Amino acid sequence: MIISHRHRFIYLKCRKVGSTSVEVALADLCGPEDVVTPLDGAKTRADGRRHVNWQNHDVPRDRWPLLARALVAAGVSKRAAGVEYFNHIRAARLRRLLGAEVFDGYLKVAIERNPWDREVSNFYFHHPKPEGRPSFEEFLRRHTRRKPIDNFDIYSIDGRVVADIVLRHERLDEDFAALMARLGIDPTPALPRARSHQRPDKGRYRDLYTTETRDLVARLYAREIRTFGYEF
C-alpha cells in the first residue's frame, strides 16, 4: 500500500492481481514523506535489487490515541493497536487512520481481475509444487469458501467502491500507462514481474472448472463480477 503526498495518490493493494509489480514501480516515484508499506515476505525486487523504499508505515506517534499508546506500551503490536499502515489494508480502516480530508482528496487506485482467473492464480500460489497439491475443486471448496479473497472490501467502504481508478489485470500495462499520464509522470516506469509464477494452465482457467465450481466462484465474488461486468 502506498500513500504518495508528492503525487497525491493512494495505492490500495489488492490480492492476486499483479499488485506487487505495480507497487514496486510506484514506490520508486515516492518522496521521503510518502508511505510505502513492506511487502509480505518479499525481500528483493524482480530485478535483483533490494527494495529499500519501505518507509513511514507507522502512523505518526502524535496522532496515536491514548488507548493505542497504552496497548503498544503493554506489548501489543502496532497493527493490532491500530497505528500501523500495512500491505492489504482495507479502505475503511485506512480512511480512519489517514483522515478523511487526505483520503477523500487523493486519487485512489486499485487493481481488479476476473475472479475465475484470479482463483486459478491463487490456487497455484498456494500450491506451486505438484507434490501434495489438492485438486482445484478441493481447493475452492476448502480454502476459497472459507477464506475468499477480500479485494472488494479493500477498495470499497460499506459496499461502495471508493477507488477512483481500478486498473484491470487483463490490460495492466495499458491501464498503468494511462494512470501515469493522468499523474503527469513521464516516462512511464516499467512494470517488473515481481511475483509472477509459472501456471501450468497457461491462462486457460476455464479448463479447471466444473459447472458447480464456476457457480461457487460466481456466488463468492458476485460484487466485483457485477461491478466490473466480468464473465466466465
Side-chain angles (χ1 to χ4, degrees):
M1 190 279 295
I2 292 174
I3 304 164
S4 176
H5 302 295
R6 169 179 284 182
H7 297 290
R8 296 180 59 85
F9 73 80
I10 295 168
Y11 176 58
L12 297 163
K13 187 179 179 185
C14 296
R15 305 179 194 273
K16 306 313 302 169
V17 292
S19 57
T20 297
S21 296
V22 172
E23 183 177 40
V24 168
L26 292 176
D28 283 343
L29 305 174
C30 288
E33 304 302 318
D34 294 346
V35 175
V36 183
T37 59
L39 304 177
D40 292 341
K43 301 302 181 185
T44 59
R45 291 166 45 125
D47 59 12
R49 291 191 289 124
R50 188 166 181 81
H51 186 70
V52 296
N53 287 4
W54 305 331
Q55 58 186 30
N56 306 325
H57 45 275
D58 292 339
V59 175
R61 193 175 181 86
D62 60 5
R63 290 170 45 201
W64 291 15
L66 290 177
L67 177 58
R69 292 172 185 264
L71 290 172
V72 172
V76 174
S77 70
K78 292 177 182 177
R79 182 181 301 192
V83 289
E84 181 185 59
Y85 303 114
F86 55 91
N87 209 20
H88 297 290
I89 190 170
R90 294 183 177 188
R93 184 170 185 174
L94 178 58
R95 190 175 188 267
R96 289 195 299 270
L97 291 178
L98 184 58
E101 183 177 357
V102 174
F103 184 90
D104 296 344
Y106 282 16
L107 184 76
K108 291 167 287 296
V109 181
I111 310 174
E112 195 48 281
R113 181 178 190 173
N114 183 308
W116 289 282
D117 182 43
R118 192 182 64 199
E119 274 306 319
V120 173
S121 177
N122 197 35
F123 171 59
Y124 288 119
F125 174 78
H126 283 281
H127 300 284
K129 297 181 180 180
E131 297 80 10
R133 180 188 290 161
S135 69
F136 181 59
E137 180 173 358
E138 181 181 357
F139 175 80
L140 287 179
R141 295 188 183 282
R142 292 191 177 184
H143 178 89
T144 302
R145 179 180 279 166
R146 181 170 51 88
K147 296 177 63 177
I149 291 174
D150 64 343
N151 285 355
F152 194 87
D153 293 315
I154 290 174
Y155 56 73
S156 71
I157 296 177
D158 295 330
R160 180 178 65 87
V161 174
V162 295
D164 303 292
I165 297 176
V166 179
L167 312 180
R168 304 291 277 269
H169 178 270
E170 296 80 13
R171 55 173 192 257
L172 189 54
D173 288 330
E174 176 185 342
D175 283 3
F176 183 72
L179 171 64
M180 293 298 96
R182 178 164 177 173
L183 292 173
I185 295 169
D186 185 35
T188 296
L191 286 179
R193 302 306 175 191
R195 286 188 174 180
S196 59
H197 295 273
Q198 184 68 29
R199 275 174 53 170
D201 66 295
K202 304 294 184 182
R204 298 188 299 272
Y205 64 87
R206 296 178 185 86
D207 296 345
L208 277 72
Y209 282 90
T210 64
T211 300
E212 289 76 16
T213 54
R214 179 199 65 194
D215 293 346
L216 171 61
V217 169
R219 291 193 299 271
L220 289 173
Y221 303 114
R223 294 178 299 175
E224 48 262 62
I225 290 170
R226 179 174 60 251
T227 299
F228 299 105
Y230 281 116
E231 297 178 350
F232 180 70

